[in-house]
Amino acid sequence: MNAETPVEAIPTADDRKIGPVLMEMKHITLRFGGVKAITDISFDIREGEIRSIIGPNGAGKSSMLNVISGFYVPQEGEVWFRGARRPQMKPYQVARQGIARTFQNIALFDGMSVLDNIMTGRLTLMKTGLAAQSLWWGKAQREETEHREKVEKIIDFLEIQAIRKTPVGRLPYGLKKRVELARALAAEPMLLLLDEPMAGMNVEEKEDMCRFILDVNDEFGTTICLIEHDMGVVMDLSDRVVVMDYGKKIGDGTPDEVRGNQAVIDAYLGVAHD
Amino acid sequence: MLYREAGDFKTSYASDSQTFPIRFDRWRYWAVVAVAFGVIPFVIDDYWANAVAVPFLIYAIAAIGLNILTGYCGQVSLGTGGFMAVGAYACYKLMTAFPEVSVLIHVLLAGGVTALVGVLFGLPSLRIKGFYLAVATLAAQFFLVWLFNKVPWFYNYSASGQITVPERTILGVAVTGANTPAWAKYLFCLVLLFVLAWVARNLTRGSVGRKWMAIRDMDIAAEIIGVNPLTTKLSAFAVSSFYIGIAGALFFAVYLGAVEVGEAFGIQKSFVVLFMIIIGGLGSIFGSFAGAAFLVLLPVLLKNVLVGQLGWATDLAAHVELMIVGGLIVAFLIYEPHGIAQLWKLAKEKLRLWPFPH
Ligand SMILES: Nc1ncnc2c1ncn2[C@@H]1O[C@H](COP(=O)(O)OP(=O)(O)O)[C@@H](O)[C@H]1O
Ligand SMILES: [Mg+2]
């Protein structure tokens, strides 16, 4: 793929409102034994923006998302969220703060239908206890219906009505990615982390996914932090871009600024255009 | 012709998530319920109650319980026998300590006690998984049996070391003890199974069930959507043990009447219930019924045919039974991990499309 990837007829990012800093990573260093996956990286994510992380394979991008979502605990550095330093948290606690994500290698629940998978996205929002649910009366049933309505909106939005009742194990790759996005959206997150949402897709599927990402950002005001390899896509979608190489940050700025940065051209863009 | 979805449109999300979305299935369900409650109690005799009906009802409760833990939440357990023993002994202690309280309350409380014990033994599940968890529950199995043998307080210091059920009545009719009529045993167990199966169905179709299944299918992804693995696994252990404890209480109080713990609730009990859910279908309430029915009926059938009609020796027939069950377990594990329930579902899907298979 190159910069000419067709993503026209998509609302441009210009007139949207970018708010204050939502999340700030301060001097993060992450090691696995002797391997330094991330070395002293700082950057911030502002409310309402689409923030991308790019870099060659093994640069530490996924590790960075894992730090944000609480899977990896960095040896050094601080994570600040909504103006306060975040104490060390388990992934499920991070999720409950309003951070949802998708994985580079799809992580859906293969034994469940598409609908049930997406419904799991709302688990943090569902409050009826075990006792009320065991009777399936009043509150439990009402809650189920309410959340089902929300989930149906997401199903419509992502145009996956036809596969609602299909077990996810039977779906092709591109649709699985879409269902995983649906599950993340179902949580109505403040911050959405997407790890290579377009990897392995054909041009058409990529265009759809781009459109969904922009629409999510536009219509729901969701802040998005995105890892992507396709430079054309990244440059078109993003408000700001972080460039990583060998665990270090080598560039940070608007797509135009990053494109003009010599270190970035040497390390990444140059390679990509070979 | 009746078996159709077409023309049976759903107009609300509630009706879309009901247990039997197809009208014909609903009719069949109500027919079964009507026969179970309205016909069988009037015709059942001691042989059918003791050989088939009562063990089936009790095993179905245990199988639903284990299915919640293993089939829905993905935590393999070989401690079912031990947990049934907890239910039995808790029931016995409660019945003898508070004779004026209804036995129904005792049975439910026995389930509650077992739930607590189950949570305790479920704690390691946060750290260990799969095979290692199975071994840990196996240890629980042996420990519990040993405990009930070793501590005389549990069997009220009786000389034989056995526990024997006192007679208790509900609405003036004996439901435990030697004078219990067949229909009373049957009806007591049936009511409990009916309510417990309905509750299990409710739990598994809502958010609790989705949490369990999320942990089963991929625990890392479950955590990322906000599922707390510890509380979710422990809730599965608690609910599962509640069911298994009630099954153990009934097995002792209604079915056997007198129990020696190693004999009634040994490791073979754990395997029988596990086989039931494998053959019947992991992650299916209906499968729990099917598996329990199958493994209760098979020996009765083989005994009647092989011993009764063909004149084989009893132990030979018992060996044939073991071979059949063993073969079926292997076959189901390899070819159809979702058991009889899935075969049934596939058959219905074929029927739904018949006579136009595409
Ligand atoms: N769980 C882990 N254990 C050991 N090393 C890891 C682990 N996760 C990532 N790494 C290492 O960290 C580096 C960065 O990996 P990753 O974050 O996946 O890169 P990217 O997503 O940019 O391709 C790689 O060298 C990788 O081998
Ligand atoms: Mg990666």
Side-chain angles (χ1 to χ4, degrees):
Chain A
M1 281 299 123
N2 54 38
E4 275 98 49
T5 306
V7 276
E8 290 134 45
I10 286 171
T12 46
D14 301 327
D15 52 345
R16 279 171 312 118
K17 226 177 84 199
I18 308 282
V21 172
L22 178 65
M23 173 156 261
E24 190 169 7
M25 314 300 284
K26 295 186 181 179
H27 304 289
I28 302 286
T29 296
L30 176 72
R31 279 184 292 267
F32 295 104
V35 183
K36 260 191 178 179
I38 301 174
T39 310
D40 190 27
I41 289 192
S42 304
F43 69 96
D44 61 12
I45 302 171
R46 289 176 168 275
E47 263 173 43
E49 75 172 334
I50 298 183
R51 184 72 147 131
S52 294
I53 304 177
I54 62 171
N57 266 329
K61 306 179 298 294
S62 295
S63 301
M64 183 57 87
L65 279 206
N66 282 332
V67 169
I68 297 178
S69 56
F71 268 117
Y72 293 163
V73 180
Q75 278 78 15
E76 286 160 45
E78 299 175 358
V79 179
W80 285 62
F81 185 61
R82 306 181 78 190
R85 183 177 175 183
R86 192 176 81 183
Q88 194 180 319
M89 275 185 179
K90 291 266 168 42
Y92 71 88
Q93 293 169 316
V94 172
R96 289 172 189 186
Q97 286 201 322
I99 299 180
R101 70 171 288 180
T102 64
F103 287 82
Q104 187 172 349
N105 312 307
I106 299 163
L108 286 169
F109 306 120
D110 277 347
M112 300 159 79
S113 68
V114 167
L115 179 64
D116 274 331
N117 264 276
I118 304 173
M119 285 294 280
T120 61
R122 298 194 68 81
L123 283 174
T124 51
L125 306 169
M126 297 177 83
K127 300 285 180 243
T128 31
L130 203 76
Q133 277 191 47
S134 63
L135 301 178
W136 202 251
W137 274 333
K139 195 162 164 250
Q141 208 172 3
R142 247 192 341 268
E143 187 183 53
E144 177 85 6
T145 306
E146 267 169 41
H147 288 276
R148 175 78 190 269
E149 279 164 6
K150 292 268 168 58
V151 162
E152 288 292 339
K153 288 211 180 93
I154 291 166
I155 288 178
D156 288 344
F157 174 72
L158 292 178
E159 297 158 17
I160 45 179
Q161 299 90 337
I163 54 167
R164 210 188 256 115
K165 297 275 169 91
T166 313
V168 289
R170 286 192 209 159
L171 295 178
Y173 182 82
L175 279 179
K176 279 190 183 169
K177 283 256 178 200
R178 211 185 276 190
V179 174
E180 207 190 8
L181 175 63
R183 183 181 69 189
L185 286 180
E188 299 180 11
M190 208 176 312
L191 173 61
L192 178 61
L193 312 171
L194 304 173
D195 196 344
E196 306 203 9
M198 284 164 254
M201 287 187 167
N202 62 33
V203 177
E204 226 169 280
E205 289 172 325
K206 274 187 189 180
E207 272 180 50
D208 281 342
M209 193 51 99
C210 280
R211 183 160 51 84
F212 293 138
I213 292 171
L214 282 173
D215 283 352
V216 168
N217 179 250
D218 216 35
E219 285 178 29
F220 309 137
T222 311
T223 310
I224 294 173
C225 180
L226 168 83
I227 296 177
E228 187 46 56
H229 267 305
D230 188 320
M231 291 308 295
V233 167
V234 169
M235 295 305 173
D236 279 341
L237 285 183
S238 319
D239 295 299
R240 290 190 300 156
V241 181
V242 178
V243 191
M244 289 177 70
D245 192 22
Y246 291 112
K248 299 203 178 74
K249 185 168 100 169
I250 58 168
D252 188 351
T254 63
D256 285 336
E257 287 166 2
V258 166
R259 222 183 254 131
N261 180 328
Q262 193 55 45
V264 175
I265 294 170
D266 291 347
Y268 188 63
L269 298 181
V271 181
H273 283 287
D274 271 353
Chain B
M1 282 295 98
L2 290 165
Y3 203 67
R4 285 292 182 269
E5 258 175 329
D8 201 4
F9 293 113
K10 305 296 176 297
T11 51
S12 74
Y13 294 134
S15 70
D16 191 37
S17 64
Q18 63 190 344
T19 308
F20 302 104
I22 294 179
R23 194 176 292 140
F24 185 75
D25 283 341
R26 273 198 303 280
W27 290 345
R28 188 176 44 219
Y29 167 76
W30 286 115
V32 169
V33 169
V35 170
F37 279 95
V39 178
I40 295 179
F42 296 101
V43 297
I44 196 163
D45 58 16
D46 273 331
Y47 172 76
W48 281 100
N50 290 328
V52 177
V54 170
F56 160 70
L57 296 171
I58 296 172
Y59 275 122
I61 295 174
I64 292 172
L66 185 61
N67 224 334
I68 284 172
L69 184 64
T70 303
Y72 283 97
C73 197
Q75 312 297 303
V76 180
S77 165
L78 291 174
T80 311
F83 293 133
M84 285 178 79
V86 173
Y89 278 78
C91 188
Y92 173 69
K93 290 301 287 185
L94 288 164
M95 284 173 92
T96 49
F98 308 100
E100 66 287 347
V101 176
S102 164
V103 62
L104 182 63
I105 308 272
H106 289 145
V107 169
L108 294 176
L109 283 177
V113 170
T114 316
L116 292 178
V117 175
V119 167
L120 199 67
F121 283 103
L123 282 172
S125 69
L126 189 66
R127 284 298 167 82
I128 54 178
K129 291 175 190 166
F131 176 72
Y132 298 98
L133 181 64
V135 172
T137 57
L138 195 62
Q141 163 74 41
F142 285 111
F143 169 75
L144 288 168
V145 168
W146 172 85
L147 183 73
F148 293 126
N149 258 326
K150 266 288 164 294
V151 182
W153 178 79
F154 285 115
Y155 49 86
N156 283 357
Y157 307 93
S158 78
S160 62
Q162 285 198 340
I163 54 174
T164 307
V165 73
E167 180 173 309
R168 292 288 181 271
T169 58
I170 293 180
L171 304 174
V173 180
V175 290
T176 68
N179 299 322
T180 312
W183 65 267
K185 286 184 190 177
Y186 167 83
L187 213 52
F188 187 39
C189 296
L190 178 68
V191 169
L192 280 166
L193 171 61
F194 182 77
V195 173
L196 288 172
W198 176 72
V199 166
R201 165 66 189 152
N202 289 341
L203 287 177
T204 51
R205 69 171 146 176
S207 60
V208 172
R210 288 193 199 101
K211 279 184 196 169
W212 290 339
M213 291 187 275
I215 289 285
R216 171 195 71 190
D217 284 349
M218 193 178 271
D219 50 359
I220 290 182
E223 249 195 288
I224 210 65
I225 53 167
V227 174
N228 181 341
L230 179 65
T231 54
T232 304
K233 285 178 186 173
L234 291 187
S235 73
F237 268 97
V239 175
S240 163
S241 306
F242 179 73
Y243 279 63
I244 291 170
I246 287 180
L250 293 176
F251 204 76
F252 152 67
V254 179
Y255 181 52
L256 293 179
V259 155
E260 198 281 313
V261 62
E263 222 167 85
F265 300 119
I267 179 70
Q268 68 277 17
K269 194 74 35 181
S270 300
F271 280 113
V272 166
V273 181
L274 185 63
F275 292 165
M276 284 174 177
I277 64 171
I278 291 173
I279 291 178
L282 291 167
S284 159
I285 305 289
F286 170 75
S288 313
F289 280 83
F294 188 84
L295 283 194
V296 167
L297 283 174
L298 185 69
V300 176
L301 195 77
L302 288 181
K303 200 170 162 215
N304 281 331
V305 173
L306 298 182
V307 182
Q309 311 227 343
L310 302 177
W312 291 23
T314 318
D315 55 344
L316 185 60
H319 288 146
V320 170
E321 182 199 335
L322 285 180
M323 284 163 61
I324 293 179
V325 172
L328 279 172
I329 296 284
V330 174
F332 271 115
L333 281 178
I334 295 176
Y335 297 110
E336 190 47 86
H338 297 290
I340 296 174
Q342 183 68 15
L343 296 179
W344 176 244
K345 207 166 137 193
L346 289 177
K348 287 202 301 185
E349 264 171 35
K350 290 252 157 60
L351 183 62
R352 187 146 75 210
L353 298 174
W354 186 86
F356 308 107
H358 295 293

